[in-house]
């Protein structure tokens, strides 16, 4: 039988895997096509700025409306490899100035509250699938 320290180590590893899986699922849902519940797309700048980050939220923006870049998003996803709880919380954020307006329904491509629905799908659909035996 495992001692309590081994159990704690295993639980921490499982919790870290859940955090990573959930963060990646939320990001994937938000960058999916608007018809699938993702971020509305005009230039793609808002969609490219869903950035996962460890410890604190990514506060800047990457690229511009004229020159869209998903480099920070890709780097944030890559940083989740090897994530451990002691590194801190994981955030998925978007700092483009109009992201809240999009979430409020200012685009005909997506219903209001698409962000909340993307998170809900990650929690109740995607996460259970990723841990199904």
């Amino acid at each position: 039988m495992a001692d309590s320290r081994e159990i704690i180590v295993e639980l921490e590893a499982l919790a870290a895997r859940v955090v990573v899986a959930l963060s990646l699922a939320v990001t994937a849902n938000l960058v999916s096509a608007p018809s699938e519940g993702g971020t509305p797309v005009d230039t793609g700048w808002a969609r490219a700025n869903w950035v996962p980050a460890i410890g604190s939220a990514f506060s800047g923006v990457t690229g511009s409306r004229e020159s869209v870049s998903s480099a920070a998003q890709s780097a944030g996803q890559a940083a989740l490899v090897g994530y451990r709880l002691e590194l801190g919380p994981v955030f998925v954020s978007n700092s483009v100035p109009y992201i809240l307006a999009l979430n409020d329904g200012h685009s005909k491509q997506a219903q209001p509250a698409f962000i909340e629905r993307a998170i809900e799908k990650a929690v109740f659909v995607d996460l259970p699938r990723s841990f199904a035996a």
Side-chain angles (χ1 to χ4, degrees):
M1 176 170 226
D3 70 7
S4 60
R5 183 65 196 143
E6 289 175 23
I7 293 170
I8 291 169
V9 168
E10 288 180 30
L11 285 173
E12 287 174 346
L14 175 60
R17 288 194 307 272
V18 169
V19 169
V20 170
L22 187 57
S23 301
L24 292 174
V26 167
T27 303
N29 291 343
L30 290 166
V31 301
S32 67
S35 62
E36 297 173 8
T39 305
V41 177
D42 179 17
T43 65
W45 191 42
R47 180 173 56 188
N49 270 276
W50 288 112
V51 180
I54 300 169
S56 62
F58 181 78
S59 60
V61 292
T62 182
S64 66
R65 289 179 73 111
E66 297 77 26
S67 181
V68 174
S69 171
S70 59
Q73 184 180 89
S74 296
Q77 290 170 318
L80 292 174
V81 175
Y83 171 77
R84 297 175 325 278
L85 294 179
E86 61 265 17
L87 296 175
V90 174
F91 298 83
V92 178
S93 60
N94 190 320
S95 295
V96 298
Y98 54 90
I99 195 65
L100 294 178
L102 287 177
N103 196 51
D104 287 341
H106 288 266
S107 171
K108 292 183 169 123
Q109 293 181 28
Q111 295 178 347
F114 72 90
I115 295 171
E116 291 84 345
R117 282 194 304 284
I119 295 167
E120 184 176 298
K121 180 180 179 284
V123 170
F124 295 109
V125 177
D126 302 324
L127 189 62
R129 281 184 188 157
S130 67
F131 284 90

